[in-house]
Amino acid sequence: KPEINISNTDYKVLDISWISDYPDEREYLLFDHKIDIETWILSSDYDQYYHYYHSTLTKKTIIKGPSDHPSYEYQITIPKNLTKLKQLIKEVKINRHNNSHNNKIKIKQDVDFGQNVKGLDKQQKIDLLIWIFEFAKNYKYGDKKPSKYSQSLNANIQHVMKQIHALYVPPTMVSEFMQ
């Protein structure tokens, strides 16, 4: 629960729980916050798997999830992987000359698995590559239609990758990825 007393924090929080149809739900609008997202849960999934989520979130114990739905334990790895992916994005400025002799600078983004990123070692980068590959393979060629959750995840990955021009993976890392 966020701090709502503005005398205790500079951040602004508006409790809008009163608009909820459910008395045990809490809803807040957060302004000017820097937050770390543990995961997201689609409301339709929460409704469909209510007992699983209620038990997992209120008792803080990891229990086996429904067989046709990603576990909460897996779900909390997703924002971490998206953050790691975002850390590997670097901006490159490209000078373009046009006929009017004006220099135009274009900024492109590349994902570079070879760059050094604090807190991200080689094995974590390989694990990230495997996660991206497995998700893409299962999303595109899975046995069944992607769930709403997978569609939501795909949209988040596309958002992170929307400006990406190239993805670089060092040859040694490719070899380890293939193994």
Side-chain angles (χ1 to χ4, degrees):
K1 178 179 175 182
E3 176 62 57
I4 57 174
N5 184 344
I6 59 173
S7 63
N8 294 339
T9 180
D10 293 334
Y11 299 117
K12 310 299 185 263
V13 177
L14 180 61
D15 184 349
I16 57 169
S17 299
W18 57 271
I19 66 171
S20 176
D21 291 335
Y22 304 97
D24 61 339
E25 275 188 4
R26 295 290 170 253
E27 297 180 28
Y28 301 95
L29 292 178
L30 306 173
F31 301 98
D32 302 326
H33 276 64
K34 180 181 180 203
I35 57 174
D36 292 321
I37 297 172
E38 184 173 78
T39 192
W40 67 90
I41 301 169
L42 301 179
S43 60
S44 59
D45 287 346
Y46 189 86
D47 291 343
Q48 184 175 357
Y49 304 107
Y50 173 79
H51 295 292
Y52 169 68
Y53 281 117
H54 187 267
S55 179
T56 300
L57 295 172
T58 58
K59 296 178 182 164
K60 296 290 183 185
T61 57
I62 303 296
I63 60 172
K64 185 173 175 11
S67 61
D68 61 338
H69 187 67
S71 70
Y72 187 78
E73 189 173 33
Y74 170 74
Q75 289 178 39
I76 61 177
T77 66
I78 294 168
K80 292 174 186 173
N81 284 332
L82 291 174
T83 299
K84 290 174 189 176
L85 182 60
K86 193 94 169 147
Q87 289 175 313
L88 294 172
I89 295 174
K90 66 178 185 177
E91 291 186 345
V92 179
K93 293 180 182 180
I94 302 172
N95 287 327
R96 293 188 146 183
H97 302 284
N98 63 18
N99 294 339
S100 63
H101 304 292
N102 293 333
N103 289 341
K104 288 191 175 185
I105 296 177
K106 181 181 179 186
I107 298 176
K108 68 174 188 163
Q109 294 180 332
D110 295 332
V111 176
D112 186 357
F113 279 82
Q115 69 177 313
N116 290 326
V117 174
K118 185 178 179 179
L120 201 54
D121 63 28
K122 187 176 184 179
Q123 187 57 52
Q124 289 173 313
K125 292 176 187 177
I126 292 170
D127 292 344
L128 181 60
L129 273 172
I130 292 169
W131 177 75
I132 293 169
F133 178 79
E134 288 292 323
F135 175 78
K137 182 183 76 154
N138 290 334
Y139 189 83
K140 181 75 174 173
Y141 300 109
D143 293 337
K144 57 185 178 179
K145 179 182 175 201
S147 67
K148 287 181 183 179
Y149 188 85
S150 291
Q151 291 173 17
S152 172
L153 174 56
N154 182 54
N156 277 279
I157 291 173
Q158 285 185 21
H159 177 74
V160 170
M161 301 292 283
K162 70 182 172 189
Q163 300 294 324
I164 301 304
H165 180 262
L167 189 136
Y168 299 104
V169 182
T172 56
M173 195 176 289
V174 170
S175 295
E176 290 182 44
F177 168 75
M178 296 302 288
Q179 292 174 359

